[in-house]
Amino acid sequence: MIKIAIPKLKNRVAPCFEAATSFSIIAADDNRLISQKTVHCSGSEGYHRVRLMKLHDINLLLCNGIGAFYSDLLHSTGIRIICDLSGIIHSVLKRYLSGGLKLSESLPDISARTLGASLNDLISWSRDLFEKNGYVVTPGPGKDSFLIDLVAEMNCSVCGEKIRVAVCCGAHTYRPDQEIREFHYTAKPDYNARVFISPDNYSIEQYCREYGIEFIRSDAAGADKRDSGKQKIPLLHGPVEGHENAFGK
């Protein structure tokens, strides 16, 4: 089975991937349409729509125009692209399913990206890590907050009040600076702390530090280094907003 996304403007292919506010999400098998639905995308720019493609397990994007930045990001996550398409979505989809559309042979240079675990694997690893350290972990608040994959909660051992931690699993690190920046603005108003989890990368740790985000390496060594037995709030080095006393602040 293949999952296809088409940027949507009413019933036509939208002129631009990065400006589309909704997508047709199609499941097909053996050139046969199985299902089709519309998914909305809030905001006109940013990393959100790339994460939206991954959350819906998209394999192929059929679109009209798309900027090089987004094209590179999508290719880096394994999503194929056929662009320069226009017209009624139903007609474009029919052309693809009948074999009338071919992938471009030219791919962007994505050699600079860092390969890591899949998003699902990283979310599973992160959930286990927080649960083992005493947190109650739930899925993120939904597809309108694409960058918050998990929410980890526990009561503070010092004041007894609840600590809410937003967790972002950075499975793709082609542009970690943008992902971390958007995670910061998405999560800061509603959470006491934010944690970004990804494969070890010095530049990623630096970006996190700039925005006051905790960074955890997504490997055994990264978890083992965080000796929760010596911390009043497990896994967090702090300070944590509203719980500064737990860190002697």
Side-chain angles (χ1 to χ4, degrees):
M1 187 174 73
I2 186 171
K3 296 288 292 291
I4 303 166
I6 305 177
K8 185 177 181 181
L9 181 62
K10 295 184 178 179
N11 66 336
R12 302 181 66 85
V13 180
C16 185
F17 168 82
E18 49 263 45
T21 57
S22 63
F23 290 83
S24 283
I25 304 295
I26 299 114
D29 193 11
D30 292 330
N31 297 325
R32 179 175 59 89
L33 178 66
I34 296 176
S35 66
Q36 184 171 355
K37 64 181 178 180
T38 297
V39 172
H40 296 283
C41 181
S42 60
S44 60
E45 295 182 354
Y47 200 90
H48 291 143
R49 61 195 58 238
V50 177
R51 295 273 294 193
L52 180 65
M53 299 296 101
K54 295 301 293 182
L55 285 168
H56 285 277
D57 298 318
I58 298 302
N59 311 110
L60 174 68
L61 172 71
L62 304 179
C63 66
N64 191 339
I66 182 169
F69 168 76
Y70 292 95
S71 177
D72 288 356
L73 274 176
L74 291 171
H75 277 297
S76 75
T77 62
I79 297 174
R80 299 174 296 166
I81 300 172
I82 301 177
C83 57
D84 298 326
L85 303 174
S86 60
I88 305 296
I89 287 177
H90 174 74
S91 299
V92 170
L93 182 60
K94 186 176 179 180
R95 284 174 59 197
Y96 172 75
L97 294 177
S98 64
L101 298 177
K102 301 297 181 184
L103 289 167
S104 171
E105 294 299 323
S106 60
L107 296 175
D109 178 14
I110 57 173
S111 58
R113 69 188 174 96
T114 302
L115 293 172
S118 71
L119 181 59
N120 288 338
D121 288 346
L122 202 52
I123 289 174
S124 178
W125 185 93
S126 303
R127 177 187 290 275
D128 288 345
L129 175 66
F130 275 86
E131 288 180 342
K132 287 176 181 176
N133 281 276
Y135 289 85
V136 175
V137 182
T138 56
K143 291 181 171 57
D144 286 336
S145 298
F146 304 116
L147 295 173
I148 303 174
D149 296 302
L150 298 170
V151 176
E153 297 179 322
M154 70 159 42
N155 290 329
C156 178
S157 61
V158 176
C159 69
E161 297 296 320
K162 182 174 289 187
I163 299 168
R164 300 186 73 231
V165 183
V167 181
C168 177
C169 299
H172 358 282
T173 53
Y174 185 80
R175 283 298 302 271
D177 55 336
Q178 179 158 345
E179 185 172 17
I180 290 167
R181 181 169 61 250
E182 293 193 23
F183 175 49
H184 165 74
Y185 290 115
T186 298
K188 186 171 176 57
D190 301 314
Y191 297 87
N192 305 105
R194 292 147 294 147
V195 173
F196 189 84
I197 298 179
S198 81
D200 187 27
N201 184 302
Y202 177 74
S203 63
I204 292 176
E205 188 171 4
Q206 289 290 100
Y207 291 136
C208 288
R209 189 175 296 117
E210 290 175 10
Y211 288 98
I213 296 171
E214 298 262 358
F215 173 70
I216 297 179
R217 288 175 50 185
S218 57
D219 55 28
D224 289 345
K225 282 185 177 180
R226 306 181 81 84
D227 185 357
S228 294
K230 298 179 180 179
Q231 296 171 236
K232 293 181 178 178
I233 301 179
L235 295 175
L236 304 181
H237 289 142
V240 173
E241 187 173 343
H243 299 269
E244 290 81 3
N245 289 340
F247 299 91
K249 301 293 183 181

